[in-house]
Amino acid sequence: MTEQQQADLRHDVVEAGTTTGLASPSVDVTSDRQNSLWSDAWGDLRRNPLFWIGAVFGLVFLLMALVPQLFARGADPRACDLSSSNQKPSAEHWFGFDQQGCDYLANVVYGARNSLIIGLLAVAVVLVLGVVVGAVAGFDGRWVDGLLSRVTDIFYALPLILGALVVLRSGVLGRGVVAVAVALAVFGWMTAMRLVRSQVIAVKSSDYVAAARAMGASNGRILVRHILPNAVAPVLVYTTITIGVLIAAEATLTFLGVGLQRPAISWGLQIEAGQSLLRTAPHLVLFPSIVLTLTVMAFIMMGDALRDALDPRQRA
């Protein structure tokens, strides 16, 4: 248990003692393992080269999305000249030109923004749905747990890409950045729910939770202050990895023609446009594919390193 959680529990104890007029009992809420979890995890991460490789790549792509001008070498992705159509990479233009004669480096750099926005926005929705539904199901139990678990199973029946494809093709949400993120999140929250539910079920039987309940703490306070903070580790690992997965899923949907639409700039659109020119202009597929792969790999590497740091038993 963290120092903040111990303080919260002491507050509950004092508050209950004041309300009832009884002396507050001495409750030992010290947990050496929980106190040292995050400090030990950070120590392991600092020694893990995979974490730093993923973190460096992730930071580069984040900066690429925030300030693309720094990486595009001053080129405008929409300033095109048909006389330069499909020209190969050169010392002056590192990624060459696309079919419309636009600087391809600028297009690939500016494509990072939409991909990262969709990945981060979709993960945020996944977390909200997964944490809320999982916490309610795990804490309440009984018929509520059964009902929410069955609803989760229904969503599990549809694969992520297929479910999002059906929703986007129907046109209900449109084809913009928010629509793609929501479509992916609607069919991607179930694992987060299962993780939160299982952690809440395991933690709610702990001694310090029983002590807080005995001292009169409300169910909402127990859940928010004492249970959820101790259930975040596996969710944090899952979230980090899922960002990369959702970025790849967005590129897949866009490649299939149901994701982002032109004039949006996206790695999926670039790969889709370049596939017909693979023999004559392979760089049109190669460069966005490499950047997409590195972005997904960065988040997966950070997630794997975080998993090993938070659960040393997973180490090979």
Side-chain angles (χ1 to χ4, degrees):
M1 183 184 297
T2 63
E3 292 180 0
Q4 180 61 45
Q5 291 169 325
Q6 294 180 28
D8 291 337
L9 184 52
R10 284 195 294 270
H11 172 77
D12 292 338
V13 171
V14 172
E15 187 179 78
T18 302
T19 303
T20 61
L22 299 175
S24 300
S26 175
V27 181
D28 181 10
V29 295
T30 302
S31 175
D32 292 338
R33 188 178 76 85
Q34 188 62 37
N35 282 335
S36 63
L37 174 63
W38 295 105
S39 60
D40 290 346
W42 173 239
D44 288 339
L45 288 175
R46 286 187 300 176
R47 296 188 295 270
N48 191 333
L50 293 181
F51 169 76
W52 289 111
I53 294 172
V56 169
F57 274 116
L59 179 60
V60 168
F61 293 125
L62 181 60
L63 289 175
M64 191 181 294
L66 293 174
V67 281
Q69 300 86 352
L70 294 179
F71 300 86
R73 306 183 70 200
D76 184 348
R78 302 194 186 279
C80 307
D81 182 359
L82 286 176
S83 63
S84 301
S85 178
N86 294 337
Q87 284 189 11
K88 301 293 192 297
S90 64
E92 185 177 358
H93 300 278
W94 294 351
F95 284 13
F97 293 86
D98 64 11
Q99 193 172 18
Q100 285 73 41
C102 307
D103 186 89
Y104 209 46
L105 172 62
N107 272 271
V108 172
V109 167
Y110 277 80
R113 177 173 294 174
N114 282 332
S115 295
L116 284 178
I117 289 175
I118 289 174
L120 294 174
L121 180 59
V123 159
V125 178
V126 165
L127 280 180
V128 171
L129 289 175
V131 170
V132 171
V133 177
V136 171
F139 187 76
D140 190 271
R142 301 173 300 178
W143 65 270
V144 175
D145 184 20
L147 175 62
L148 294 178
S149 295
R150 299 296 77 76
V151 171
T152 303
D153 292 339
I154 293 173
F155 278 91
Y156 259 129
L158 274 177
L160 173 64
I161 297 296
L162 179 59
L165 189 150
V166 170
V167 170
L168 290 172
R169 179 160 290 178
S170 70
V172 173
L173 299 177
R175 297 288 182 86
V177 169
V178 175
V180 175
V182 170
L184 289 171
V186 166
F187 295 95
W189 59 272
M190 297 80 69
T191 301
M193 180 273 184
R194 292 294 191 188
L195 287 172
V196 174
R197 174 182 174 274
S198 63
Q199 289 296 306
V200 169
I201 290 174
V203 173
K204 73 176 182 180
S205 60
S206 300
D207 291 340
Y208 61 85
V209 173
R213 183 175 286 110
M215 292 304 104
S218 65
N219 286 339
R221 184 177 181 84
I222 291 174
L223 181 61
V224 174
R225 295 288 188 179
H226 302 302
I227 294 181
L228 285 181
N230 288 281
V232 299
V235 180
L236 183 60
V237 173
Y238 170 76
T239 299
T240 307
I241 295 175
T242 302
I243 294 174
V245 173
L246 293 176
I247 289 174
E250 176 274 321
T252 302
L253 290 172
T254 302
F255 177 83
L256 294 174
V258 296
L260 297 180
Q261 304 293 309
R262 293 180 176 83
I265 301 177
S266 164
W267 294 330
L269 285 172
Q270 292 161 7
I271 295 172
E272 186 273 333
Q275 65 170 335
S276 60
L277 301 169
L278 189 59
R279 290 181 179 273
T280 58
H283 65 281
L284 298 183
V285 173
L286 179 63
F287 290 123
S289 298
I290 290 176
V291 176
L292 174 62
T293 301
L294 290 176
T295 304
V296 174
M297 183 186 71
F299 287 103
I300 291 177
M301 290 173 69
M302 286 191 289
D304 285 344
L306 189 59
R307 178 200 61 197
D308 292 342
L310 293 173
D311 187 2
R313 293 173 299 177
Q314 294 290 336
R315 297 172 184 168

